[in-house]
Amino acid sequence: MPPNTTASTGQQPGKSGRKKGRKARLLLLVLVLGLIAGVTGGAYWSISTVRASFPQTDGSLTLAGLSGPVDVKRDGYGIPQVYASSDEDLFMAQGYVQAQDRFYEMDVRRHMTSGRLSEMFGQGQVDNDEFLRTLGWGRIAQQEYDKTLSASTKKYLQAYAKGVNAYLDGKEGKDISLEYAALGFTNDYKPEKWSPVDSIAWLKAMAWDLRGNMQDEIDRALMTSRLGPKEIADLYPQYPYSRNKAIVQAGRYDATTKTFGPAGSASTAGSSTGGTAGTGGTSSSSSAAGLQSQLAGLQNVLDDLPTAVGVNGNGIGSNSWVVAGKYTITGKPLLANDPHLSASLPSVWYQMGLHCREVSGKCQYDASGYTFAGMPGVVIGHNQNISWGMTNSGVDVTDLYLEKLSGDGYLSDGRTVPFKTREETIKVAGGTAKKIVVRETDNGPLLSDRSSELVKVGKKATVDTAAPDRGDGYGISLRWTALDPGTSMDAVFAMDRASNWSDFRKAATLFDVPSQNLVYADTEGHIGYTLPGKIPTRAKGYDGSVPAPGWDSGSRWTGYIDDDELPYEYDPSRGYIVTANQAVVDKAKYPYTLTTDWGYGTRSQRITDLIQSKIDDGGKISTDDMRQMQLDNSSEIAKLLVPQLLKIDIADQDVRDAQELLEGWDYTQDADSAAAAYFNSVWRNILKLAFGNKLPKELRVKGQCLWVDPVNTTGPADQTDKVRECGERDADQAQPDGGDRWFEVVRSLMDDPKSDWWTTPRSGTRPGATDRDGLFKRAMIDARWELTAKLGKDIDTWSWGRLHRLFLKNQTLGTEGPGFLQYVLNRGPWKLSGGEATVNATGWNAAGGYGVVWVPSMRMVVNLGDLDKSKWINLTGASGHAYNAHYTDQTDKWADGELLDWSFSKNSVDDRTSDTLVLKP
């Protein structure tokens, strides 16, 4: 971890400390610029070039369009608090200030959402742009602006855009960001003005990365080339409702009134129930085995897409919980939230306070929290009366459809229907523009048009007799709620204004995509939970777990669950509510299938246990207790496996030395723990030997090769019959990823020590296995020598943090630019505690390695008894400018689990203000 040069007090840095820090950064900057001058062969970047884009944070500026002065007060971490006297001035100033700190990030995001990355980065982004144009996020955002959003929301979006454009006015690229200066070496790209639609489209990108079970739908279909239905079911076990509690525990659905509430009885209405993984509703017209080549091609496209807020839909999680005042020190609720998203530099979140000097009809907002650069309002946080947090609900809002295509259209109920088409022109920096035709069916856009692999179907793939003739192959279309115009932008402003539970619930109904778990607390002492979202209902026999036959209109969505029928809880008697991507409601209490692929509740149950143990001990929960819960590093899978691992007789002394690390270990995955390093390596090798080596190549890590039996071979095969197959998936997307689905898979097999899953062949001098303990022994041997290679033979030098490291990378030039530019823009590594499916969810993919791939992207604890005693932290810092003092000035404290003071009242803000900028009309 980079060394801390100041004491970790959690307080704002003093001015003398800032001056010393600036001198050190200036010296480093001189050295880096000298390096750049040499590497680029004379292309010299001066210090003034790098610092030209740093924002003015004190004094005054004139902004045409303001109706009155606006104060922008920044604390020692550069976090802005904006004070205005009208709504329009408030949001115009928000646009200006965010553009000061993050415009390059905003510009990249809008090019991504509109499928225009090639305009900035050239030919290498054309394929991504083709796919994104096919999805049509920008078009849908424009339709939302034109047709569905309220007049007030449009007014705020216009004001925000006006502020961004006021910042851009008269500036060249190098005046805005170091990255534009770098782009200037290769093309003549110049930023264009911001529009209201640019802000709306970002919500589509957010919805894409939080889209639910589309990846599981693909994976289950791909598995059919090597696994049978029973084996696939083994890998998608039932949700453990009796062990890991659902979010909503007291409420029930009333079949008579068709409402969900705290009273009533369990309903038997409906044809399917939620919470069963991958066992229901398959297509009656096609075998999933017939999708191999199409879905493999789709996966290749998805792997290459840039991420917005997640890992392309994988590994997305979050923690949020609220505790009622009867169990807190303050006597008022405490609310915690830490969304788990891809690590990015700058952080996806932007901290900000939006304050009307006097809340009135003219100026309605007094809110503070986290938002996205490029979008007005506060997404997660609190106002003067309420607080709210979010976790991804994981409900299934995407379905893939097989389509029988012809030159004239697609088959639907026995007749050929013409495609809906549109032409798109993709401009390419330094290259020739490319035109594409986007085709759509009634089910949605044809994703298969964007990859030639998607229209090739295996010659030996089987389908049921009811399916139409395959011909040259089936296409694949996507039905997704976010491809319809919605009102989520209205919801952001409505939540920011809400003053009570009733207001909040009404606001939540507008939050149609992405569907999120919303937790709530207010200063009056109430707590609550609600599930909003546009959630589809499906015909009997279809549950969204596998692709459906597009040629049968009976496979299409039948409607959406009414708002009154969606689960919620208000002031439950247990005194707390926990959401961490587990099942929303027990399937026995609800008639609709929300998804077949919940998270399995490992984190949520651990948080519940921590809260309940504090209550049972008679203690009161403090803000710091909530922080400590966020940092819990306990490994639930270690608690299951370590007792069995310690029973295994190991002859090799070196391996036995490693095994002994587990004796007395408390299952805590601290960065300095040698036991955590060894256990996680054993876990990784168990998964590889038992499951990973038996999965098809489309799910395994790219470049990792195995000798395997040919597909569709019957009977035993000897070594000479085997073929060499190499994995095809990116390391952070491959399976088995080691998440809590795999916890449940292994748990369910522990009592079957002779299961075929526990078999593995001999490899060189490494023994094979025919049962559970034999495979565990082999995994312990493999782990010992893997860590010897990575960390050295001396186990006293081992630590989890040496394996489990976080690198922060600028998401454009920091990953694709020349090495010197990556050096300038990127930061790290940090050695982290925590792990997969741990409350401190520093996620890693067991198939790909130990590096950190997603993180608690921010942490907050809101104190409803005294909002000024709330705490927060961001992954990086307020600034997107490399070498700015606030580029990564929160990261060390974030890694150490610290939280910063979060001022809200004017007096508290004033006490911590370091710089004040006055924006004048």
Side-chain angles (χ1 to χ4, degrees), residues 226-272:
R226 291 208 169 271
L227 304 177
K230 169 62 169 63
E231 293 170 309
I232 294 174
D234 285 346
L235 303 186
Y236 289 89
Q238 302 280 326
Y239 183 90
Y241 287 100
S242 61
R243 188 175 69 253
N244 295 343
K245 301 299 184 185
I247 297 171
V248 175
Q249 298 177 32
R252 286 185 180 274
Y253 181 83
D254 190 308
T256 303
T257 62
K258 291 188 177 180
T259 58
F260 192 94
S265 59
S267 168
T268 57
S271 60
S272 58

Side-chain angles (χ1 to χ4, degrees), residues 245-252 569 574 576 584-585 589 608:
K245 301 299 184 185
I247 297 171
V248 175
Q249 298 177 32
R252 286 185 180 274
E569 269 193 325
R574 65 184 179 279
Y576 56 86
V584 168
V585 62
K589 299 179 180 180
T608 297

Side-chain angles (χ1 to χ4, degrees), residues 26 29-30 33 44-55 173-178 181 881-883:
L26 187 60
L29 191 55
V30 170
L33 290 171
Y44 183 73
W45 290 356
S46 67
I47 293 174
S48 61
T49 301
V50 175
R51 300 188 67 176
S53 58
F54 289 7
K174 64 182 177 61
D175 302 321
I176 299 171
S177 170
L178 175 65
H881 300 285
Y883 299 105

